[in-house]
Amino acid sequence: MRTSLDNYLGIHPQALQLEAKRNELLAANLANVDTPNYKARDIDFKSALAAAAGADPAGAPADDATLLKYRVPMQPALDGNTVDEQLEQSAFAENNVRYQATLTFLNSALKDLMTAITGS
Amino acid sequence: MSSSFKIFDIAGSGMSAQSVRLNTVASNLANADSVSNDPNAVYRARHPVFQAVMGAEPGSATVNVAGITQSTAAPETRYDPGNPLADAQGNVYAPNVNVVEEMADMISASRSYQNNVEVLNTSRDLMLDTLKLGQ
């Protein structure tokens, strides 16, 4: 059930959850950079966000295993590990900027709301 | 979203695994010249085996050190009759530690450790920013 506050904040709460989840995935990839046979995983952000936007806000579509994809390695490693350290690092940096952008959107929306409530 | 604190477990497990690796490198380098008079008793190069531990949620994998293996390569035989540890043939046995390999391993472990620290710091900053939401 969407409340008017959910409608007011728009897609941003779901985006924030999804970005936090993606950060976790990228952290797992970076932590397992030397683990033999570890396969790097990531989510397709666009389709995951579309799924999150269409779903009930109480659900957790970001955790849906079907949205998790395996990374296609640029070059094979002898130990079967598919983590590309540089790629994961840049994805992590990018995702952090996205997270901060979402936080800024949410913050300004909440500030606007506070202004409207207090009337000052 | 069961817990957003899981990222600390993940990066922390990576750091602890890499520090085990650094420990084995330190042990190998320190004992690189620990000779023995018995080829079976000489120090052997130790290496950790990393293993991914999949969490309850898909995709969030921590790192576990499954064990420490000892290299099975033959120890180096050195003819050194002046050495007090030399056997009847005048030989001592040196560990099968490859110092160049260990140095490369050390750099790799230290870079991976730094990566995990970076992830930890960034995530902490983001979470602190999230706590300040609406203030």
Side-chain angles (χ1 to χ4, degrees):
Chain A
M1 179 66 195
R2 274 178 167 270
T3 64
S4 54
L5 187 62
D6 284 330
N7 283 331
Y8 175 70
L9 292 176
I11 191 78
H12 300 307
Q14 284 99 319
L16 198 72
Q17 273 202 10
L18 208 55
E19 279 148 5
K21 176 70 190 166
R22 185 160 183 239
N23 250 357
E24 203 178 282
L25 282 173
L26 296 173
N29 289 346
L30 281 169
N32 282 291
V33 73
D34 296 310
T35 308
N37 288 319
Y38 178 82
K39 308 294 179 207
R41 302 182 91 178
D42 198 1
I43 44 177
D44 177 10
F45 196 82
K46 191 182 175 190
S47 57
L49 189 60
D56 187 80
D63 297 346
D64 196 343
T66 54
L67 293 169
L68 267 177
K69 305 266 195 285
Y70 286 100
R71 190 90 76 201
V72 179
M74 295 281 221
Q75 49 190 352
L78 265 181
D79 62 356
N81 185 299
T82 64
V83 179
D84 183 337
E85 205 170 325
Q86 282 72 36
L87 196 128
E88 303 295 339
Q89 268 181 330
S90 57
F92 187 74
E94 182 218 322
N95 197 51
N96 281 329
V97 176
R98 283 180 189 277
Y99 190 96
Q100 261 164 349
T102 310
L103 270 185
T104 310
F105 281 126
L106 277 173
N107 237 336
S108 64
L110 290 171
K111 282 216 173 82
D112 286 354
L113 203 60
M114 285 306 282
T115 312
I117 292 169
T118 55
S120 56
Chain B
M1 217 69 239
S2 68
S3 162
S4 40
F5 292 100
K6 198 179 285 167
I7 198 158
F8 293 110
D9 292 343
I10 295 170
S13 75
M15 281 160 68
S16 101
Q18 296 299 342
S19 80
V20 169
R21 190 168 163 213
L22 275 176
N23 275 337
T24 58
V25 168
S27 162
N28 292 346
L29 286 176
N31 286 295
D33 287 312
S34 305
V35 293
S36 166
N37 58 354
D38 181 1
N40 297 314
V42 71
Y43 179 87
R44 286 172 184 277
R46 286 157 163 77
H47 293 113
V49 178
F50 289 173
Q51 184 186 42
V53 181
M54 293 296 169
E57 279 178 65
S60 60
T62 54
V63 193
N64 177 38
V65 178
I68 311 274
T69 57
Q70 293 197 19
S71 168
T72 51
E76 190 193 330
T77 309
R78 285 185 196 157
Y79 181 65
D80 188 4
N83 195 313
L85 285 174
D87 62 9
Q89 285 78 43
N91 287 331
V92 290
Y93 300 93
N96 54 3
V97 174
N98 185 337
V99 176
V100 178
E101 206 177 274
E102 297 299 332
M103 291 302 283
D105 220 26
M106 183 186 80
I107 294 166
S108 168
S110 114
R111 289 283 179 273
S112 302
Y113 190 96
Q114 284 170 3
N115 248 342
N116 281 305
V117 172
E118 199 63 41
V119 168
L120 208 70
N121 276 336
T122 313
S123 309
R124 191 203 53 205
D125 288 349
L126 285 182
M127 283 174 91
L128 287 177
D129 283 349
T130 315
L131 278 179
K132 290 193 208 106
L133 193 63
Q135 281 177 15

